[in-house]
Structures are given as C-alpha cells and as structure tokens.
Amino acid sequence: VKMTHAARRDGAHTIAITNDTASPLANEADRVLDIHAGPERSVAATKTFVTSAVAGLALYADWAGDDDLRAALLYLPAQLKLAAEIDWPELRESIGQRPSLFTTGRGPAWAISGEAALKFKETCQLHAESYSSAEILHGPISIVDAGFPVLSLAAGDAAEPGLVDVADRIAEMGAQVFVTSEMCRKARRIDYVRTGHPLTDPLALIVSFYSMVERLALDRGVDPDIPRHLRKVTETV
Amino acid sequence: VKMTHAARRDGAHTIAITNDTASPLANEADRVLDIHAGPERSVAATKTFVTSAVAGLALYADWAGDDDLRAALLYLPAQLKLAAEIDWPELRESIGQRPSLFTTGRGPAWAISGEAALKFKETCQLHAESYSSAEILHGPISIVDAGFPVLSLAAGDAAEPGLVDVADRIAEMGAQVFVTSEMCRKARRIDYVRTGHPLTDPLALIVSFYSMVERLALDRGVDPDIPRHLRKVTETV
C-alpha cells in the first residue's frame, strides 16, 4: 500500500490487482482489477495466485494485442478444470517422507517452479528449492543422491527442449526426475494439460501441482491449511 | 566470452576480472583486472570468489571516490587473515549430520549468504538454502522445526538490526540460529571480524565460513575438494 502511494505520488499510473475492491490497496490505486477469487480461507494462497496471474495476462494480452493469448485465456477455465484433475501419484510416492527435493523450470515456468517450492515448504514441511534449469548443474547438483526427487515443470515453449535435456541428465545421475513433457528420454513423463499458449501453460502446471501437494501433505500427516509458524498476513521487517 | 564479445561489438567498454591475463575472456575485453589468486586447484572456487569481489570493490572505490572503502581495502588482507582463523565449532556441532538448513543475509551480506548456501551443497552435500532476512518469515519458515540450523550473516551495516531481529524471532521458534553480531538476544553470537567498512565486512564473513565449511565437510566424511557430479567447468545449456 505504501509503495503504491509513493508510486502514484511520483506520477505513476497505478493498477491494483486485488480480491477485495474495498481494500486499502484498491483505494490507493488509480485503477482496480478484481480477480473474483472469492474468499481465500487458506493461509497458503492458491486461488489468488492463479487468478492474479490471469488478470495480469489479460491486461498484457490487450496491451500487446496478442490474439493468441486472448483466445487461450478464453478457454483457460475449462483447461484448468482438466488440470485440477491431475494428481501425479508417482511423484507423491517418490517423495514419501524424504526431507528434501528440487523443482526446476525456465522462463515463466521458472516462476511457477518457485511457487511450487514455496508450497512444498508451507503445506508439507518439505525442503523444496527451486532452480532455473540453466543453473542447477552449476553446484546445486552436488546434493543429488540416488533417488533424490526432482520435479521439472516444462511448458510448451522455446525453453522446453533445454529444460528436458537437463532433466534427463539429472535422471542419469540416479535422481528420480519427473517432467511435464513428451520429450524426455531418462526422466519420467507425468500428466499435464497444454493450454494453446506458452504463457498460460505454466498456470495449468501449478493447478495440477496444487491438487498433488494437498494430497502429499495429507500423506505426510500434515494439515495443509495450517502451515507451521505462519499466519494469513506476514509483516515485512 | 560470447557476452563480452557482443557487449564490446555494441559499443560497451568491457572490463575482464580474471585470474589469467592470457585467457579468452581477457583477450576479448578492453581492459583486464588481474585478481592474482594464483592457480585455483579446487573445484569449489573460494580464492577466486574473494579476490574477484576485492577487484570489483577496488574499482568501485576509485570510481565513487570512497576513501573509507579505499582504506578498508588497504587493511583487508590482515583482516582476512584473522577471519580465516575463525571456525564456528558450535555451528558445525549443531549441523552434525542434519540434511537441511537455511542461511540468511540482507544487502551485500545476502550475496554472501547465497555463496555460503552453494558451498554447503558443493562441499558437504547438505541442502542449504539462502534467504533474504526480509523474505524468510513469508512461508519458508514452515520447514523450521526444533533444532533446525540457521546461519545468519550480519555485516556492520544499516541492515544489521533488522537481520538480527529476524534471527531472534526464528530462534524463538526453537531453531538453532547463529549470528555474526553483538545485537542478538535469542540467537547465538558467533565470532566475526569487522573490517571498518560495510562493503568489506561480507568478505571477512565468507572467509570465516570457508574455514568452517572445509572442517564440516571432513566431519561429515566428504572430501570438499571433489564435489559430487561437478567438474571444474560447467557448460551452461
């Protein structure tokens, strides 16, 4: 809210993406985009993550005049419904009670990889760390031992072949690598929905992830709606 | 080398910071800063990390006309010698055979926190992840259980009080938090050398860290000079 106030004061045009059009943030901004997520009851926010990204993409599609993206957004609700039915039981079994794993992505899917790692921590008390597939072979790979789980989130974009190549290399080291792509040779393919546009594909991936991670938390005996040490609002120090 | 070539072609003035003045990078750049580190025999580079940062700071001190920084750099070799004698046995004991920990920092010390986490991975096969102390209470804190080790790297700068406050809060949750500062109440103070300037303090911290992490690797039965899955040069895909 303070940053929006400062930006507006200095002459910027401010747009609030919010789930509450009566919120202090909405009151502070020049324009308001309502994400219509409905009340977010969970501490580990999921609906608001997806709908905020959709609002941002809709804004971008109009701004850039990207008709392919507009079309993909039109069909996205049906695609996300399909994505939510995906569960990845083979990944859940591989993780089991292990303490640690990596997620990888590249480009927009790298952002999704970061969200996945955070939700593994919040809902499963599992030390998941996200890496760009361009970086993971430089050092981080040293902690990968036999059976170490890796979730590689590939979208249908220009980064897919490179990301899958890295996933295959990590699988060759003995890790259990799961990837949302047909291109893999050594890593294991897991189910995914393609949405017709590289910028909406990552949203389908995270929706499938959310379905899986809720079940994984329950498998591990953790209540995913009550993350340890967290409340709904965290003050930034 | 390719990026330097492209930058120079497009009109940039390029400066190579290198340990080998006959290297392809040195040949490609307009100017060369020799870091004089001597042959780097270890896969997990440490001398080149510190001396490259010193070269960058020396350049910055002249550019900005910062006499305090120039003076701190003059005394830095002696300060780093003291820093190398620090070992943090209480941190090594706390980590033991645990699989996972956090490092934290803020500002320039956050960069050092990232380097520390990477070296924990490379030399000890330990899943260390670096967070800004401004971010760690937003979600990542959920994986902290009783006895979880946290290394908080504080420099003598404007971020020190905030960083130590977060360290104390994490200690109150039952974690074993170690911090290089006198300001802590709940976290445990570990030895450190202050260098007379906030930009050189982080280099003394990482030198103390390197001394500790080599011993920790040996404690854990890992040879720190032969990181698993790594060679000296990693190709970026």
Side-chain angles (χ1 to χ4, degrees), chain A residues 100 121 127 129 131 237, chain B residues 100 106 121 127 129 131 237:
Chain A
S100 188
K121 288 192 180 86
H127 193 173
E129 184 172 4
Y131 273 99
V237 182
Chain B
S100 188
R106 194 151 184 190
K121 289 191 180 87
H127 193 173
E129 184 171 5
Y131 273 99
V237 182

Side-chain angles (χ1 to χ4, degrees), chain A residues 88-103 120 124 126 128 147-151 176 178 209 212-213 216 220:
Chain A
W88 303 337
E90 60 275 56
L91 175 67
R92 287 193 285 119
E93 194 184 330
S94 165
I95 294 172
Q97 293 293 336
R98 277 185 166 262
S100 188
L101 60 78
F102 282 144
T103 64
F120 269 132
C124 300
L126 175 59
F148 189 90
V150 178
L151 171 59
Q176 298 191 73
F178 299 87
F209 173 86
M212 182 281 299
V213 82
L216 178 65
R220 288 168 67 99

Side-chain angles (χ1 to χ4, degrees), chain A residues 33-208:
Chain A
L33 286 182
D34 187 351
I35 59 173
H36 297 289
E40 176 79 70
R41 292 189 185 88
S42 172
V43 172
T46 52
K47 308 193 285 187
T48 47
F49 179 88
V50 174
T51 49
S52 298
V54 169
L57 287 178
L59 190 66
Y60 170 75
D62 271 359
W63 195 359
D66 185 333
D67 287 331
D68 291 343
L69 182 54
R70 279 200 198 102
L73 287 167
L74 199 63
Y75 292 107
L76 193 60
Q79 301 293 70
L80 293 186
K81 197 170 174 186
L82 290 174
E85 287 163 15
I86 288 175
D87 167 33
W88 303 337
E90 60 275 56
L91 175 67
R92 287 193 285 119
E93 194 184 330
S94 165
I95 294 172
Q97 293 293 336
R98 277 185 166 262
S100 188
L101 60 78
F102 282 144
T103 64
T104 74
R106 192 152 186 188
W110 182 41
I112 293 301
S113 166
E115 163 69 0
L118 185 63
K119 287 295 187 288
F120 269 132
K121 288 192 180 86
E122 290 179 348
T123 65
C124 300
Q125 297 169 6
L126 175 59
H127 193 173
E129 184 172 4
S130 170
Y131 273 99
S132 159
S133 62
E135 298 293 339
I136 194 167
L137 298 179
H138 292 256
I141 203 67
S142 277
I143 68 165
V144 170
D145 55 9
F148 189 90
V150 178
L151 171 59
S152 290
L153 295 165
D157 59 19
E160 184 177 8
L163 184 133
V164 175
D165 180 48
V166 171
D168 282 334
R169 289 199 209 185
I170 301 172
E172 278 167 9
M173 296 170 185
Q176 298 191 73
V177 187
F178 299 87
V179 61
T180 56
S181 172
E182 303 297 319
M183 294 181 185
C184 53
R185 294 168 297 105
K186 295 279 183 174
R188 289 173 64 184
R189 175 202 175 282
I190 50 176
D191 287 344
Y192 57 90
V193 170
R194 288 282 187 261
T195 61
H197 196 285
L199 290 179
T200 43
D201 279 356
L203 296 178
L205 294 174
I206 200 66
V207 165
S208 298

